[in-house]
PDB file of all heavy atoms in Angstrom:
ATOM      1  N   THR W  17     276.293 -82.076-101.899  1.00 97.00           N
ATOM      2  CA  THR W  17     274.933 -81.649-102.364  1.00 97.00           C
ATOM      3  C   THR W  17     274.012 -82.799-102.248  1.00 97.00           C
ATOM      4  O   THR W  17     274.321 -83.997-102.632  1.00 97.00           O
ATOM      5  CB  THR W  17     274.942 -81.210-103.866  1.00 97.00           C
ATOM      6  OG1 THR W  17     275.918 -80.116-103.941  1.00 97.00           O
ATOM      7  CG2 THR W  17     273.599 -80.721-104.295  1.00 97.00           C
ATOM      8  N   VAL W  18     272.874 -82.606-101.595  1.00 96.00           N
ATOM      9  CA  VAL W  18     271.977 -83.670-101.171  1.00 96.00           C
ATOM     10  C   VAL W  18     270.582 -83.466-101.877  1.00 96.00           C
ATOM     11  O   VAL W  18     270.070 -82.370-101.878  1.00 96.00           O
ATOM     12  CB  VAL W  18     271.810 -83.750 -99.664  1.00 96.00           C
ATOM     13  CG1 VAL W  18     270.965 -84.934 -99.294  1.00 96.00           C
ATOM     14  CG2 VAL W  18     273.163 -83.828 -98.967  1.00 96.00           C
ATOM     15  N   SER W  19     269.998 -84.570-102.315  1.00 94.00           N
ATOM     16  CA  SER W  19     268.662 -84.514-102.849  1.00 94.00           C
ATOM     17  C   SER W  19     267.958 -85.820-102.460  1.00 94.00           C
ATOM     18  O   SER W  19     268.564 -86.791-102.167  1.00 94.00           O
ATOM     19  CB  SER W  19     268.758 -84.368-104.418  1.00 94.00           C
ATOM     20  OG  SER W  19     269.381 -85.428-104.951  1.00 94.00           O
ATOM     21  N   GLY W  20     266.631 -85.733-102.499  1.00 92.00           N
ATOM     22  CA  GLY W  20     265.780 -86.922-102.229  1.00 92.00           C
ATOM     23  C   GLY W  20     265.409 -87.133-100.811  1.00 92.00           C
ATOM     24  O   GLY W  20     264.748 -88.195-100.486  1.00 92.00           O
ATOM     25  N   ILE W  21     265.809 -86.195 -99.887  1.00 91.00           N
ATOM     26  CA  ILE W  21     265.389 -86.319 -98.518  1.00 91.00           C
ATOM     27  C   ILE W  21     264.974 -84.993 -97.997  1.00 91.00           C
ATOM     28  O   ILE W  21     265.150 -83.994 -98.654  1.00 91.00           O
ATOM     29  CB  ILE W  21     266.546 -86.835 -97.622  1.00 91.00           C
ATOM     30  CG1 ILE W  21     267.801 -85.875 -97.705  1.00 91.00           C
ATOM     31  CG2 ILE W  21     267.063 -88.247 -97.970  1.00 91.00           C
ATOM     32  CD1 ILE W  21     268.872 -86.205 -96.720  1.00 91.00           C
ATOM     33  N   ILE W  22     264.275 -84.998 -96.854  1.00 91.00           N
ATOM     34  CA  ILE W  22     264.003 -83.725 -96.190  1.00 91.00           C
ATOM     35  C   ILE W  22     265.163 -83.243 -95.455  1.00 91.00           C
ATOM     36  O   ILE W  22     265.386 -83.606 -94.301  1.00 91.00           O
ATOM     37  CB  ILE W  22     262.716 -83.948 -95.271  1.00 91.00           C
ATOM     38  CG1 ILE W  22     261.594 -84.560 -96.007  1.00 91.00           C
ATOM     39  CG2 ILE W  22     262.340 -82.568 -94.678  1.00 91.00           C
ATOM     40  CD1 ILE W  22     260.342 -84.879 -95.134  1.00 91.00           C
ATOM     41  N   PHE W  23     265.972 -82.449 -96.194  1.00 91.00           N
ATOM     42  CA  PHE W  23     267.286 -82.210 -95.701  1.00 91.00           C
ATOM     43  C   PHE W  23     267.316 -81.478 -94.354  1.00 91.00           C
ATOM     44  O   PHE W  23     268.187 -81.759 -93.526  1.00 91.00           O
ATOM     45  CB  PHE W  23     267.989 -81.339 -96.749  1.00 91.00           C
ATOM     46  CG  PHE W  23     269.432 -80.986 -96.414  1.00 91.00           C
ATOM     47  CD1 PHE W  23     270.511 -81.875 -96.684  1.00 91.00           C
ATOM     48  CD2 PHE W  23     269.769 -79.822 -95.808  1.00 91.00           C
ATOM     49  CE1 PHE W  23     271.785 -81.574 -96.340  1.00 91.00           C
ATOM     50  CE2 PHE W  23     271.026 -79.466 -95.423  1.00 91.00           C
ATOM     51  CZ  PHE W  23     272.028 -80.343 -95.769  1.00 91.00           C
ATOM     52  N   SER W  24     266.420 -80.573 -94.158  1.00 88.00           N
ATOM     53  CA  SER W  24     266.497 -79.713 -92.983  1.00 88.00           C
ATOM     54  C   SER W  24     266.382 -80.413 -91.677  1.00 88.00           C
ATOM     55  O   SER W  24     266.877 -79.938 -90.678  1.00 88.00           O
ATOM     56  CB  SER W  24     265.418 -78.555 -93.021  1.00 88.00           C
ATOM     57  OG  SER W  24     264.158 -79.192 -93.069  1.00 88.00           O
ATOM     58  N   ILE W  25     265.777 -81.616 -91.686  1.00 90.00           N
ATOM     59  CA  ILE W  25     265.568 -82.374 -90.402  1.00 90.00           C
ATOM     60  C   ILE W  25     266.565 -83.596 -90.342  1.00 90.00           C
ATOM     61  O   ILE W  25     266.516 -84.314 -89.312  1.00 90.00           O
ATOM     62  CB  ILE W  25     264.151 -82.865 -90.238  1.00 90.00           C
ATOM     63  CG1 ILE W  25     263.766 -83.879 -91.333  1.00 90.00           C
ATOM     64  CG2 ILE W  25     263.150 -81.700 -90.230  1.00 90.00           C
ATOM     65  CD1 ILE W  25     262.469 -84.588 -91.086  1.00 90.00           C
ATOM     66  N   THR W  26     267.368 -83.803 -91.408  1.00 93.00           N
ATOM     67  CA  THR W  26     268.162 -85.025 -91.438  1.00 93.00           C
ATOM     68  C   THR W  26     269.575 -84.741 -90.910  1.00 93.00           C
ATOM     69  O   THR W  26     270.258 -83.811 -91.377  1.00 93.00           O
ATOM     70  CB  THR W  26     268.267 -85.521 -92.868  1.00 93.00           C
ATOM     71  OG1 THR W  26     267.022 -85.721 -93.453  1.00 93.00           O
ATOM     72  CG2 THR W  26     269.117 -86.761 -92.931  1.00 93.00           C
ATOM     73  N   PRO W  27     270.018 -85.529 -89.917  1.00 95.00           N
ATOM     74  CA  PRO W  27     271.436 -85.427 -89.503  1.00 95.00           C
ATOM     75  C   PRO W  27     272.423 -85.745 -90.639  1.00 95.00           C
ATOM     76  O   PRO W  27     272.136 -86.615 -91.453  1.00 95.00           O
ATOM     77  CB  PRO W  27     271.585 -86.493 -88.437  1.00 95.00           C
ATOM     78  CG  PRO W  27     270.168 -86.737 -87.955  1.00 95.00           C
ATOM     79  CD  PRO W  27     269.364 -86.574 -89.183  1.00 95.00           C
ATOM     80  N   MET W  28     273.472 -84.970 -90.786  1.00 96.00           N
ATOM     81  CA  MET W  28     274.436 -85.111 -91.777  1.00 96.00           C
ATOM     82  C   MET W  28     275.803 -85.380 -91.160  1.00 96.00           C
ATOM     83  O   MET W  28     276.110 -84.907 -90.064  1.00 96.00           O
ATOM     84  CB  MET W  28     274.497 -83.881 -92.701  1.00 96.00           C
ATOM     85  CG  MET W  28     273.215 -83.590 -93.403  1.00 96.00           C
ATOM     86  SD  MET W  28     272.791 -84.842 -94.646  1.00 96.00           S
ATOM     87  CE  MET W  28     274.274 -84.812 -95.679  1.00 96.00           C
ATOM     88  N   GLY W  29     276.687 -85.969 -91.882  1.00 97.00           N
ATOM     89  CA  GLY W  29     278.027 -86.260 -91.442  1.00 97.00           C
ATOM     90  C   GLY W  29     279.068 -86.422 -92.493  1.00 97.00           C
ATOM     91  O   GLY W  29     278.744 -86.536 -93.644  1.00 97.00           O
ATOM     92  N   TRP W  30     280.334 -86.406 -92.073  1.00 98.00           N
ATOM     93  CA  TRP W  30     281.442 -86.689 -92.940  1.00 98.00           C
ATOM     94  C   TRP W  30     282.225 -87.830 -92.229  1.00 98.00           C
ATOM     95  O   TRP W  30     282.475 -87.749 -91.040  1.00 98.00           O
ATOM     96  CB  TRP W  30     282.399 -85.458 -93.050  1.00 98.00           C
ATOM     97  CG  TRP W  30     281.814 -84.408 -93.913  1.00 98.00           C
ATOM     98  CD1 TRP W  30     281.114 -83.297 -93.522  1.00 98.00           C
ATOM     99  CD2 TRP W  30     281.852 -84.348 -95.384  1.00 98.00           C
ATOM    100  NE1 TRP W  30     280.792 -82.538 -94.637  1.00 98.00           N
ATOM    101  CE2 TRP W  30     281.243 -83.138 -95.789  1.00 98.00           C
ATOM    102  CE3 TRP W  30     282.485 -85.205 -96.310  1.00 98.00           C
ATOM    103  CZ2 TRP W  30     281.064 -82.781 -97.064  1.00 98.00           C
ATOM    104  CZ3 TRP W  30     282.349 -84.801 -97.652  1.00 98.00           C
ATOM    105  CH2 TRP W  30     281.652 -83.630 -98.000  1.00 98.00           C
ATOM    106  N   TYR W  31     282.511 -88.800 -93.048  1.00 98.00           N
ATOM    107  CA  TYR W  31     283.379 -89.933 -92.626  1.00 98.00           C
ATOM    108  C   TYR W  31     284.584 -89.933 -93.490  1.00 98.00           C
ATOM    109  O   TYR W  31     284.629 -89.311 -94.609  1.00 98.00           O
ATOM    110  CB  TYR W  31     282.624 -91.245 -92.768  1.00 98.00           C
ATOM    111  CG  TYR W  31     281.548 -91.520 -91.715  1.00 98.00           C
ATOM    112  CD1 TYR W  31     280.367 -90.778 -91.691  1.00 98.00           C
ATOM    113  CD2 TYR W  31     281.722 -92.453 -90.733  1.00 98.00           C
ATOM    114  CE1 TYR W  31     279.404 -91.016 -90.743  1.00 98.00           C
ATOM    115  CE2 TYR W  31     280.800 -92.766 -89.812  1.00 98.00           C
ATOM    116  CZ  TYR W  31     279.644 -92.010 -89.741  1.00 98.00           C
ATOM    117  OH  TYR W  31     278.682 -92.297 -88.816  1.00 98.00           O
ATOM    118  N   ARG W  32     285.563 -90.707 -93.132  1.00 98.00           N
ATOM    119  CA  ARG W  32     286.732 -90.920 -93.928  1.00 98.00           C
ATOM    120  C   ARG W  32     287.303 -92.335 -93.860  1.00 98.00           C
ATOM    121  O   ARG W  32     287.091 -92.933 -92.796  1.00 98.00           O
ATOM    122  CB  ARG W  32     287.837 -89.835 -93.679  1.00 98.00           C
ATOM    123  CG  ARG W  32     288.481 -90.007 -92.297  1.00 98.00           C
ATOM    124  CD  ARG W  32     289.505 -88.856 -92.079  1.00 98.00           C
ATOM    125  NE  ARG W  32     290.133 -88.949 -90.746  1.00 98.00           N
ATOM    126  CZ  ARG W  32     290.871 -88.024 -90.275  1.00 98.00           C
ATOM    127  NH1 ARG W  32     291.178 -86.886 -90.941  1.00 98.00           N
ATOM    128  NH2 ARG W  32     291.463 -88.188 -89.052  1.00 98.00           N
ATOM    129  N   GLN W  33     288.026 -92.744 -94.900  1.00 98.00           N
ATOM    130  CA  GLN W  33     288.611 -94.036 -94.833  1.00 98.00           C
ATOM    131  C   GLN W  33     289.966 -93.981 -95.497  1.00 98.00           C
ATOM    132  O   GLN W  33     290.128 -93.692 -96.676  1.00 98.00           O
ATOM    133  CB  GLN W  33     287.724 -95.093 -95.554  1.00 98.00           C
ATOM    134  CG  GLN W  33     288.237 -96.488 -95.400  1.00 98.00           C
ATOM    135  CD  GLN W  33     287.202 -97.561 -95.849  1.00 98.00           C
ATOM    136  OE1 GLN W  33     286.264 -97.277 -96.547  1.00 98.00           O
ATOM    137  NE2 GLN W  33     287.388 -98.758 -95.385  1.00 98.00           N
ATOM    138  N   ALA W  34     291.029 -94.233 -94.719  1.00 96.00           N
ATOM    139  CA  ALA W  34     292.375 -94.238 -95.197  1.00 96.00           C
ATOM    140  C   ALA W  34     292.645 -95.718 -95.702  1.00 96.00           C
ATOM    141  O   ALA W  34     292.088 -96.675 -95.209  1.00 96.00           O
ATOM    142  CB  ALA W  34     293.293 -93.798 -94.093  1.00 96.00           C
ATOM    143  N   PRO W  35     293.697 -95.835 -96.546  1.00 91.00           N
ATOM    144  CA  PRO W  35     294.033 -97.137 -97.032  1.00 91.00           C
ATOM    145  C   PRO W  35     294.365 -98.160 -95.859  1.00 91.00           C
ATOM    146  O   PRO W  35     295.179 -97.788 -94.988  1.00 91.00           O
ATOM    147  CB  PRO W  35     295.268 -96.862 -97.858  1.00 91.00           C
ATOM    148  CG  PRO W  35     295.084 -95.466 -98.341  1.00 91.00           C
ATOM    149  CD  PRO W  35     294.522 -94.775 -97.226  1.00 91.00           C
ATOM    150  N   GLY W  36     293.744 -99.252 -95.875  1.00 94.00           N
ATOM    151  CA  GLY W  36     294.064-100.281 -94.832  1.00 94.00           C
ATOM    152  C   GLY W  36     293.365 -99.993 -93.532  1.00 94.00           C
ATOM    153  O   GLY W  36     293.677-100.748 -92.539  1.00 94.00           O
ATOM    154  N   LYS W  37     292.555 -99.013 -93.433  1.00 96.00           N
ATOM    155  CA  LYS W  37     291.904 -98.673 -92.162  1.00 96.00           C
ATOM    156  C   LYS W  37     290.337 -98.708 -92.297  1.00 96.00           C
ATOM    157  O   LYS W  37     289.819 -98.646 -93.448  1.00 96.00           O
ATOM    158  CB  LYS W  37     292.297 -97.295 -91.672  1.00 96.00           C
ATOM    159  CG  LYS W  37     293.809 -97.210 -91.293  1.00 96.00           C
ATOM    160  CD  LYS W  37     294.128 -95.922 -90.716  1.00 96.00           C
ATOM    161  CE  LYS W  37     295.550 -95.837 -90.213  1.00 96.00           C
ATOM    162  NZ  LYS W  37     295.863 -94.486 -89.579  1.00 96.00           N
ATOM    163  N   GLN W  38     289.658 -98.784 -91.202  1.00 97.00           N
ATOM    164  CA  GLN W  38     288.208 -98.702 -91.236  1.00 97.00           C
ATOM    165  C   GLN W  38     287.708 -97.340 -91.462  1.00 97.00           C
ATOM    166  O   GLN W  38     288.420 -96.355 -91.090  1.00 97.00           O
ATOM    167  CB  GLN W  38     287.704 -99.300 -89.879  1.00 97.00           C
ATOM    168  CG  GLN W  38     287.835-100.817 -89.764  1.00 97.00           C
ATOM    169  CD  GLN W  38     287.161-101.377 -88.470  1.00 97.00           C
ATOM    170  OE1 GLN W  38     286.897-100.630 -87.536  1.00 97.00           O
ATOM    171  NE2 GLN W  38     286.734-102.604 -88.600  1.00 97.00           N
ATOM    172  N   ARG W  39     286.524 -97.298 -91.979  1.00 96.00           N
ATOM    173  CA  ARG W  39     285.936 -95.955 -92.073  1.00 96.00           C
ATOM    174  C   ARG W  39     285.591 -95.394 -90.703  1.00 96.00           C
ATOM    175  O   ARG W  39     285.147 -96.083 -89.861  1.00 96.00           O
ATOM    176  CB  ARG W  39     284.604 -96.120 -92.937  1.00 96.00           C
ATOM    177  CG  ARG W  39     283.990 -94.796 -93.410  1.00 96.00           C
ATOM    178  CD  ARG W  39     282.849 -94.972 -94.306  1.00 96.00           C
ATOM    179  NE  ARG W  39     283.228 -95.690 -95.545  1.00 96.00           N
ATOM    180  CZ  ARG W  39     282.427 -95.810 -96.569  1.00 96.00           C
ATOM    181  NH1 ARG W  39     281.188 -95.373 -96.545  1.00 96.00           N
ATOM    182  NH2 ARG W  39     282.845 -96.469 -97.688  1.00 96.00           N
ATOM    183  N   GLU W  40     285.865 -94.138 -90.574  1.00 97.00           N
ATOM    184  CA  GLU W  40     285.682 -93.436 -89.255  1.00 97.00           C
ATOM    185  C   GLU W  40     284.904 -92.228 -89.358  1.00 97.00           C
ATOM    186  O   GLU W  40     284.994 -91.504 -90.354  1.00 97.00           O
ATOM    187  CB  GLU W  40     287.057 -93.199 -88.585  1.00 97.00           C
ATOM    188  CG  GLU W  40     287.927 -92.228 -89.315  1.00 97.00           C
ATOM    189  CD  GLU W  40     289.216 -91.917 -88.552  1.00 97.00           C
ATOM    190  OE1 GLU W  40     289.307 -92.401 -87.437  1.00 97.00           O
ATOM    191  OE2 GLU W  40     289.974 -91.130 -89.066  1.00 97.00           O
ATOM    192  N   LEU W  41     284.168 -91.919 -88.326  1.00 97.00           N
ATOM    193  CA  LEU W  41     283.429 -90.577 -88.332  1.00 97.00           C
ATOM    194  C   LEU W  41     284.413 -89.472 -88.097  1.00 97.00           C
ATOM    195  O   LEU W  41     285.297 -89.492 -87.250  1.00 97.00           O
ATOM    196  CB  LEU W  41     282.368 -90.659 -87.118  1.00 97.00           C
ATOM    197  CG  LEU W  41     281.678 -89.371 -86.869  1.00 97.00           C
ATOM    198  CD1 LEU W  41     280.765 -88.994 -88.048  1.00 97.00           C
ATOM    199  CD2 LEU W  41     280.964 -89.370 -85.572  1.00 97.00           C
ATOM    200  N   VAL W  42     284.271 -88.425 -88.925  1.00 98.00           N
ATOM    201  CA  VAL W  42     284.987 -87.227 -88.832  1.00 98.00           C
ATOM    202  C   VAL W  42     284.197 -86.131 -88.053  1.00 98.00           C
ATOM    203  O   VAL W  42     284.710 -85.553 -87.108  1.00 98.00           O
ATOM    204  CB  VAL W  42     285.414 -86.637 -90.193  1.00 98.00           C
ATOM    205  CG1 VAL W  42     286.187 -85.314 -90.038  1.00 98.00           C
ATOM    206  CG2 VAL W  42     286.269 -87.706 -90.912  1.00 98.00           C
ATOM    207  N   ALA W  43     282.992 -85.875 -88.497  1.00 97.00           N
ATOM    208  CA  ALA W  43     282.144 -84.897 -87.940  1.00 97.00           C
ATOM    209  C   ALA W  43     280.648 -85.148 -88.296  1.00 97.00           C
ATOM    210  O   ALA W  43     280.422 -85.724 -89.302  1.00 97.00           O
ATOM    211  CB  ALA W  43     282.593 -83.463 -88.437  1.00 97.00           C
ATOM    212  N   ARG W  44     279.784 -84.635 -87.430  1.00 97.00           N
ATOM    213  CA  ARG W  44     278.356 -84.861 -87.598  1.00 97.00           C
ATOM    214  C   ARG W  44     277.648 -83.588 -87.195  1.00 97.00           C
ATOM    215  O   ARG W  44     278.096 -82.957 -86.159  1.00 97.00           O
ATOM    216  CB  ARG W  44     277.946 -86.041 -86.815  1.00 97.00           C
ATOM    217  CG  ARG W  44     276.561 -86.617 -87.150  1.00 97.00           C
ATOM    218  CD  ARG W  44     276.385 -87.949 -86.591  1.00 97.00           C
ATOM    219  NE  ARG W  44     275.004 -88.442 -86.734  1.00 97.00           N
ATOM    220  CZ  ARG W  44     274.474 -88.973 -87.835  1.00 97.00           C
ATOM    221  NH1 ARG W  44     275.255 -89.101 -88.925  1.00 97.00           N
ATOM    222  NH2 ARG W  44     273.219 -89.423 -87.840  1.00 97.00           N
ATOM    223  N   ILE W  45     276.542 -83.324 -87.888  1.00 96.00           N
ATOM    224  CA  ILE W  45     275.801 -82.126 -87.483  1.00 96.00           C
ATOM    225  C   ILE W  45     274.279 -82.533 -87.633  1.00 96.00           C
ATOM    226  O   ILE W  45     273.882 -83.162 -88.581  1.00 96.00           O
ATOM    227  CB  ILE W  45     276.081 -80.985 -88.451  1.00 96.00           C
ATOM    228  CG1 ILE W  45     275.343 -79.656 -88.032  1.00 96.00           C
ATOM    229  CG2 ILE W  45     275.867 -81.237 -89.924  1.00 96.00           C
ATOM    230  CD1 ILE W  45     275.845 -78.445 -88.715  1.00 96.00           C
ATOM    231  N   ARG W  46     273.498 -82.089 -86.597  1.00 91.00           N
ATOM    232  CA  ARG W  46     272.148 -82.365 -86.611  1.00 91.00           C
ATOM    233  C   ARG W  46     271.422 -81.169 -87.241  1.00 91.00           C
ATOM    234  O   ARG W  46     272.113 -80.272 -87.771  1.00 91.00           O
ATOM    235  CB  ARG W  46     271.587 -82.654 -85.222  1.00 91.00           C
ATOM    236  CG  ARG W  46     272.160 -83.938 -84.671  1.00 91.00           C
ATOM    237  CD  ARG W  46     272.015 -84.014 -83.177  1.00 91.00           C
ATOM    238  NE  ARG W  46     270.611 -83.995 -82.767  1.00 91.00           N
ATOM    239  CZ  ARG W  46     270.194 -84.044 -81.519  1.00 91.00           C
ATOM    240  NH1 ARG W  46     271.117 -84.175 -80.521  1.00 91.00           N
ATOM    241  NH2 ARG W  46     268.956 -83.986 -81.155  1.00 91.00           N
ATOM    242  N   SER W  47     270.122 -81.121 -87.290  1.00 74.00           N
ATOM    243  CA  SER W  47     269.382 -80.198 -87.962  1.00 74.00           C
ATOM    244  C   SER W  47     269.593 -78.757 -87.483  1.00 74.00           C
ATOM    245  O   SER W  47     269.491 -77.768 -88.214  1.00 74.00           O
ATOM    246  CB  SER W  47     267.899 -80.498 -87.966  1.00 74.00           C
ATOM    247  OG  SER W  47     267.409 -80.555 -86.602  1.00 74.00           O
TER     248      SER W  47
END
């Protein structure tokens, strides 16, 4: 749930970080 931005035009994404690993992009969606 997102607040404080113009959500409809803002790219959104999911990242993940496993123990001992760098954060990585999982998926991204544009407007």
Side-chain angles (χ1 to χ4, degrees):
T17 302
V18 185
S19 61
I21 59 174
I22 304 175
F23 181 83
S24 60
I25 64 170
T26 302
M28 298 294 303
W30 288 95
Y31 285 70
R32 67 185 180 188
Q33 187 167 19
K37 295 187 177 181
Q38 289 190 330
R39 191 173 298 189
E40 63 175 358
L41 175 67
V42 176
R44 192 165 172 81
I45 184 167
R46 291 166 61 182
S47 57

